[in-house]
Amino acid sequence: MTIGTGRSDNLAELLRASGEVLTRRWVELAAEPLRGRLSVAELERELADLYAAILAGLDTGDRDPNSDAFAEVRALLSEMSRRRARAGFTPSETAVGVFTLKRAMFELLDQAEIAGGLAEVVAFSLLLDAFGLWTFETFAKAREEVIDEQAEQLLELTTPVVKLWDGVLAVPLVGTLDSARTQVVMEKLLESLVTTGAAHAIIDITGVLAVDTQVAQHLLKTVMAARLMGAECTISGIRPHIAQTIVGLGIEFGDITTKASLADALRHALRRAGVDLVAGDRRG
Amino acid sequence: MSGVERIPILKIGDVLLASIQVDLQDRDVLALQEDLAEKISATGAHGVVLDISAVDIVDSFIGRMFATIAATSRLFDAHTVVVGMRPAVAITLVELGLTLGEVRTALDLEKGLAILAGLAGDRAAR
Amino acid sequence: MTGPGREDIPIAADDDVVRIRQVVRSYAQRARLSLVDQTKLVTATSELARNTLTYGGGGSAVVEMLGEGRRQGVRASFADSGPGIPDIELALTDGWTSGRGMGLGLSGARRLVDEFTLDTEVGRGTTVTVVKWSR
């Protein structure tokens, strides 16, 4: 247990005694720049929790923003910044939640005397500055997370796994294949085999402009992994220049089935699945 | 130290089914190999299904078990099908460079049993 | 993210290999490795732990969390004071084995991780360290 220095109790006491007034003013100041994009009730709840945590920290007599005494404060601030970042607020709109407490406190100090004097106020003020910076940092981290997630979602969107027939899946790949994207496709396709129970998959690369060694290796590994899982995988739509690249790179496609077009690959898969294709008898 | 974990082996018709639900120690693997060999010889089963849908890693030792069980079962004119391999496990095995030899694979138990039924048909025709 | 940043695990028996797999799995999850990367790392460490047990006559493993900027990773080291490896190149060749397994232990484990270091001296022992990073 940490024992308070005695003097620090006074600021903590003042903050506790005027808690209600102070938080009301704090919410008022903090709500202003947010212009109604966050409900007052929500803000009140956030700031009340934060206030309680700050008081609890001050009670220990500790004034180091990185100490255990303020772990709860830091956790609450991280959560708050994360929510703000996700909701599209700016970093200043987020940090203002902390800095406005300082303003509310200064207004209050105008009307009250505390025994600790200037030193206490400065220490508390520095503490709040540190917390303000903390929100910046967690805000930035949260934004980066959001960007990463969006990049991943985009990747997912550009590589759909489609069902062509009962038990036959296909991934039409379009554009430039890099190693990371190929890997994502490979995992997604294999997952889809499990979820749909499809025993045939077609990777169609008609729309692919170029492949390098790594990408070709990933495609090969996908086919081999599918085989280990008990599914058959065909690669279709290899363009002439890509075929030349593959041969030029010395990559062995071995006994992997390749077909000129997606239609050929589908016909092959259906035959393997025991589906008979019969030309329709057209009448009238 | 825990003892050897015996994987239960069920007999369904002509097929033996071993469903692996635990993180296998090497001695469990060896025990399963022995148990299966004995069971195949005692029952004259025509097929073995190893269900690994609950297994989250297969290293070279466990992989070799599949190959050994398959080779052993061939001596008794039976086939082995490994079913339910997870995608992450399959990708890892490919990267590891492991091939499963004579082992056949299927997505799920139903498809595995269908493969064995097909192979048994071939056997009856011989 | 909670939990220890480092763990020491003795390798003396079969079930220690299983324990290492479980510890490495939980570290890999905390480092937010993808499921495939978790599986690769756990498989690699399973191979290496078995090597330590089989060829090194037992030893110990250290599993650690790594943080480097926004990237997180897991490092696992396996040390024994066994006979050491006389021909490293041969030991890293696919299909070479002096014991149980398919001879894919070292070479396979190397392909499954991002960083691989092998430190061995005949008569003194072997230490293998692997690292896998989150993407």
Side-chain angles (χ1 to χ4, degrees):
Chain A
M1 287 282 99
T2 320
I3 310 292
T5 55
R7 281 209 272 160
S8 62
D9 285 346
N10 273 304
L11 180 68
E13 252 165 49
L14 176 72
L15 290 176
R16 190 178 300 284
S18 355
E20 211 170 305
V21 183
L22 197 61
T23 43
R24 200 182 313 126
R25 179 66 183 139
W26 184 16
V27 170
E28 212 174 280
L29 288 169
E32 204 182 319
L34 302 180
R35 289 182 304 274
R37 280 188 290 156
L38 197 69
S39 79
V40 173
E42 203 175 329
L43 193 62
E44 261 170 8
R45 213 177 320 119
E46 272 180 2
L47 298 188
D49 286 350
L50 199 53
Y51 195 70
I54 292 176
L55 276 187
L58 288 176
D59 278 346
T60 63
D62 210 322
R63 292 295 178 271
D64 175 4
N66 296 314
S67 69
D68 286 349
F70 294 104
E72 171 74 8
V73 176
R74 291 194 304 273
L76 285 171
L77 285 174
S78 301
E79 259 172 57
M80 189 178 90
S81 322
R82 185 154 284 145
R83 277 197 301 273
R84 296 278 199 280
R86 288 189 176 270
F89 288 90
T90 67
S92 345
E93 283 166 343
T94 306
V96 89
V98 176
F99 293 131
T100 46
L101 172 58
K102 206 152 111 178
R103 205 170 125 198
M105 183 191 67
F106 286 151
E107 287 178 11
L108 183 74
L109 287 176
D110 246 4
Q111 300 146 20
E113 287 271 324
I114 57 162
L118 191 60
E120 240 330 280
V121 175
V122 169
F124 184 58
S125 193
L126 288 174
L127 190 63
L128 287 181
D129 289 347
F131 289 150
L133 288 177
W134 174 264
T135 64
F136 270 114
E137 251 172 57
T138 46
F139 182 92
K141 250 185 233 158
R143 281 303 299 168
E144 278 170 12
E145 280 169 23
V146 171
I147 292 167
D148 282 352
E149 273 167 34
Q150 285 170 343
E152 211 163 286
Q153 281 165 8
L154 205 61
L155 205 60
E156 297 258 309
L157 281 178
T158 50
T159 53
V161 176
V162 293
K163 179 180 162 183
L164 288 186
W165 205 272
D166 272 339
V168 185
L169 297 180
V171 238
L173 295 176
V174 177
T176 310
L177 278 186
D178 60 25
S179 178
R181 192 173 150 214
T182 316
Q183 226 164 336
V184 170
V185 179
M186 150 171 169
E187 287 167 26
K188 203 169 146 189
L189 177 63
L190 298 178
E191 281 298 338
S192 307
L193 292 176
V194 177
T195 49
T196 62
H200 296 269
I202 301 166
I203 302 174
D204 183 68
I205 59 169
T206 310
V208 172
L209 304 171
V211 292
D212 59 17
T213 319
Q214 265 199 321
V215 170
Q217 294 280 15
H218 280 313
L219 289 176
L220 267 176
K221 285 175 189 166
T222 310
V223 177
M224 284 153 75
R227 202 174 277 174
L228 279 178
M229 291 168 59
E232 198 196 3
C233 200
T234 310
I235 298 177
S236 69
I238 303 180
R239 294 172 172 216
H241 73 271
I242 290 182
Q244 278 174 15
T245 314
I246 290 172
V247 173
L249 292 170
I251 297 162
E252 286 275 346
F253 262 53
D255 55 349
I256 287 167
T257 316
T258 51
K259 293 285 168 196
S261 70
L262 183 56
D264 290 341
L266 176 60
R267 194 175 300 124
H268 171 77
L270 289 176
R271 197 174 303 132
R272 294 296 298 258
V275 176
D276 277 330
L277 290 182
V278 182
D281 189 5
R282 291 188 198 176
R283 270 177 218 168
Chain B
M1 246 241 231
S2 54
V4 173
E5 190 95 34
R6 294 268 164 188
I7 312 288
I9 300 169
L10 304 177
K11 186 167 179 296
I12 307 169
D14 267 351
V15 172
L16 298 177
L17 169 66
S19 184
I20 301 167
Q21 303 285 345
V22 292
D23 204 340
L24 289 174
Q25 288 185 32
D26 290 359
R27 58 168 174 272
D28 307 334
V29 169
L30 297 173
L32 179 60
Q33 262 171 224
E34 283 167 23
D35 291 354
L36 269 173
E38 259 165 49
K39 260 286 182 38
I40 300 169
S41 114
T43 60
H46 78 251
V48 175
V49 176
L50 293 173
D51 180 359
I52 60 163
S53 53
V55 173
D56 57 13
I57 84 137
V58 171
D59 62 9
S60 63
F61 192 79
I62 301 172
R64 190 175 68 160
M65 164 185 76
F66 299 156
T68 307
I69 289 174
T72 312
S73 64
R74 286 307 296 134
L75 296 177
F76 297 101
D77 201 17
H79 291 277
T80 301
V81 182
V82 171
V83 304
M85 187 184 291
R86 296 183 181 184
V89 171
I91 292 170
T92 302
L93 283 184
V94 169
E95 205 74 49
L96 193 62
L98 198 73
T99 45
L100 295 181
E102 290 184 65
V103 182
R104 282 158 202 271
T105 53
L107 284 174
D108 50 42
L109 181 58
E110 198 187 329
K111 291 190 173 69
L113 290 174
I115 289 177
L116 288 176
L119 291 168
D122 293 350
R123 180 163 81 159
R126 277 204 305 266
Chain C
M1 201 196 74
T2 49
R6 185 195 149 103
E7 226 156 303
D8 287 70
I9 305 149
I11 307 174
D14 253 12
D15 44 3
D16 293 327
V17 177
V18 172
R19 214 174 122 229
I20 284 165
R21 293 206 286 249
Q22 288 161 350
V23 170
V24 170
R25 170 78 66 179
S26 84
Y27 273 65
Q29 282 167 348
R30 282 199 284 131
R32 302 177 73 175
L33 263 57
S34 72
L35 181 61
V36 171
D37 285 342
Q38 286 175 29
T39 309
K40 285 181 179 174
L41 179 64
V42 174
T43 308
T45 53
S46 181
E47 300 290 342
L48 297 174
R50 184 178 297 105
N51 278 352
T52 302
L53 188 63
T54 313
Y55 306 124
S60 63
V62 179
V63 184
E64 287 167 283
M65 275 307 258
L66 301 178
E68 190 181 90
R70 293 182 52 216
R71 231 168 38 143
Q72 279 187 297
V74 179
R75 175 163 58 209
S77 294
F78 300 83
D80 66 57
S81 13
I85 302 170
D87 188 339
I88 298 177
E89 217 161 292
L90 183 64
L92 283 170
T93 310
D94 272 357
W96 183 84
T97 176
S98 61
R100 45 183 179 166
M102 288 178 131
L104 292 164
L106 275 183
S107 56
R110 180 159 69 163
R111 279 193 296 270
L112 295 174
V113 295
D114 297 325
E115 291 167 31
F116 180 98
T117 44
L118 174 64
D119 192 6
T120 185
E121 201 182 320
V122 174
R124 302 296 291 269
T126 303
T127 302
V128 182
T129 306
V130 294
V131 178
K132 190 97 187 156
W133 292 103
S134 63
R135 277 173 219 294

